[in-house]
Amino acid sequence: MKKILFGLLAILSLSELKATVRTVSNDPNGGAEYSTLLAAYTAAVNGDTLYLEGTDINYEISDNGSPWAKSLVVMGIGIRPVKTNPRKTKIRGNGGGSFFMNALASGSKFYGIQFQSSNSFSGTITNITYENCSFVSNYETSGIHFNNFVFRNCWFHTNIGFNGNGNINNILLTSCIVNGFIDGATNGVVSNFIIDHCIFLTSGNITTGVKNATISNSIFMNSNNLGSFNNCTIAYNIARLNNVFPPSGTGITFGGNIDNTDPMLVNCPINTGFDAGINHNYHLLTGSPCIGAGTGGSDIGPHGSLSKFSETGEVLFAPIMRTLFINNTTVVPNGTLNVNISASKPYDN
């Protein structure tokens, strides 16, 4: 039955993809084509899709000695899916080491994955997309050339590092939740670095040495120190605490920001990160000063962008199986197993 369900999901959610879809489950009772991520990765060719069941068991692959070196689509269940058995799809490096990618991984896309270990890289990496992913450990790009990366509806448990001697170009963080800080102290070239419609929950510095960036339409909940900037645009943001704006630095374009004002979120306890409560709700209450106060009349905060942010973090182009009930627990040989399945489109708001 599990193979049938995997096949149904692959057909429903990935029918538009022409490349091979390979199903993976590391659950001992799983019924996928592959029981390990390594086996599926080894069999895959550039452009294939790996569909990983949410099992809450770490899928281990990739380290400094054997990096992720293929351009693949990797799809999991999402950050907090609303279903009867919401197990997460977790990936980490072998033995708990970092998840390591080299230049041959360029073009990879990750949807609904929780990265358990730090992410690290080598060489020149281009065209990487993360949607509805969470990062439990640091995201570290020190010393590499890092081009055309998109983080959409992602959750960062800790720090993001764009530093070292590498170049960073065309980087977008949109509708992301950040518990740590962004380290932008690179000695390389920085261009088109955009942080938009995000929410920062950290109580410490928001940034370190960020340059040539645009930070807009974002909420700063628990910190009164944005850090230092160089040649940045900081506009149409809101800070709950006092004396946050203007930040320190040189060459700052600044305007439209709101200081010392409660953004009035439905449920975001003060001085807590998103791990402190699963029921955080970053929608705006009626009368919130964030309503219509962003760029082009958009709302400030993660729900104000066009990325269809949801606190569930469900993968946006895959149906979610909400419930599964087996009506007859015993079946005679060649008999019929009666199953009721409830599924719906993912939550996108």
Side-chain angles (χ1 to χ4, degrees):
M1 181 185 71
K2 202 162 189 177
K3 291 182 179 179
I4 295 173
L5 296 177
F6 258 122
L8 175 63
L9 283 171
I11 292 169
L12 287 174
S13 62
L14 302 170
S15 58
E16 76 280 6
L17 300 176
K18 303 302 181 182
T20 301
V21 176
R22 304 176 188 274
T23 60
V24 190
S25 176
N26 60 2
D27 188 318
N29 298 313
E33 297 173 87
Y34 301 92
S35 60
T36 67
L37 177 54
L38 177 59
Y41 171 87
T42 301
V45 299
N46 288 342
D48 282 358
T49 294
L50 308 184
Y51 193 104
L52 278 59
E53 182 189 12
T55 64
D56 273 341
I57 304 170
N58 290 319
Y59 291 93
E60 292 201 356
I61 189 172
S62 176
D63 57 24
N64 202 352
S66 181
W68 187 274
K70 295 180 181 180
S71 177
L72 302 174
V73 177
V74 184
M75 182 173 168
I77 191 60
I79 295 172
R80 288 174 176 163
V82 180
K83 53 184 299 181
T84 53
N85 190 17
R87 299 186 297 175
K88 296 179 181 179
T89 306
K90 300 179 178 181
I91 292 179
R92 71 177 186 179
N94 289 325
S98 66
F99 181 78
F100 195 89
M101 291 195 288
N102 69 14
L104 296 178
S106 294
S108 290
K109 299 179 179 180
F110 299 90
Y111 301 95
I113 301 297
Q114 178 167 299
F115 292 92
Q116 292 294 102
S117 55
S118 61
N119 283 242
S120 56
F121 307 85
S122 68
T124 298
I125 313 289
T126 62
N127 302 319
I128 302 293
T129 297
Y130 303 92
E131 289 190 12
N132 298 99
C133 291
S134 62
F135 301 87
V136 174
S137 295
N138 290 353
Y139 193 93
E140 182 60 60
T141 66
S142 178
I144 73 157
H145 301 303
F146 193 66
N147 304 310
N148 304 327
F149 273 51
V150 174
F151 303 86
R152 184 178 291 110
N153 303 346
C154 290
W155 303 60
F156 294 90
H157 294 231
T158 180
N159 304 326
I160 313 167
F162 301 106
N163 52 16
N165 296 312
N167 300 338
I168 60 173
N169 304 289
N170 300 324
I171 309 300
L172 173 64
L173 280 76
T174 182
S175 290
C176 292
I177 313 300
V178 183
N179 265 358
F181 66 83
I182 296 177
D183 185 354
T186 177
N187 295 320
V189 175
V190 179
S191 64
N192 200 30
F193 181 15
I194 297 174
I195 301 169
D196 183 64
H197 285 99
C198 294
I199 179 168
F200 291 84
L201 302 178
T202 179
S203 58
N205 287 3
I206 300 294
T207 65
T208 300
V210 170
K211 64 180 182 180
N212 300 333
T214 297
I215 303 177
S216 58
N217 306 305
S218 295
I219 298 172
F220 306 110
M221 276 298 294
N222 300 315
S223 176
N224 62 358
N225 190 346
L226 295 189
S228 58
F229 300 88
N230 185 9
N231 296 326
C232 291
T233 296
I234 301 173
Y236 301 102
N237 304 288
I238 187 170
R240 185 181 62 83
L241 300 179
N242 195 19
N243 297 323
V244 177
F245 304 117
S248 63
T250 59
I252 297 176
T253 301
F254 180 81
N257 299 284
I258 304 171
D259 204 13
N260 193 30
T261 303
D262 187 348
M264 295 177 61
L265 305 177
V266 170
N267 183 28
C268 182
I270 292 172
N271 295 325
T272 60
F274 61 84
D275 293 325
I278 196 169
N279 296 318
H280 281 199
N281 185 334
Y282 305 120
H283 282 91
L284 305 177
L285 291 168
T286 300
S288 167
C290 297
I291 297 174
T295 304
S298 66
D299 293 343
I300 295 174
H303 286 284
S305 76
L306 299 177
S307 68
K308 298 183 177 181
F309 173 84
S310 168
E311 280 78 4
T312 67
E314 294 177 351
V315 178
L316 293 176
F317 57 84
I320 302 297
M321 189 186 306
R322 305 294 180 187
T323 60
L324 185 153
F325 296 103
I326 299 175
N327 297 321
N328 52 323
T329 55
T330 59
V331 181
V332 300
N334 299 317
T336 300
L337 180 66
N338 295 313
V339 179
N340 289 335
I341 298 174
S342 172
S344 74
K345 74 178 186 67
Y347 293 117
D348 57 6
N349 200 340

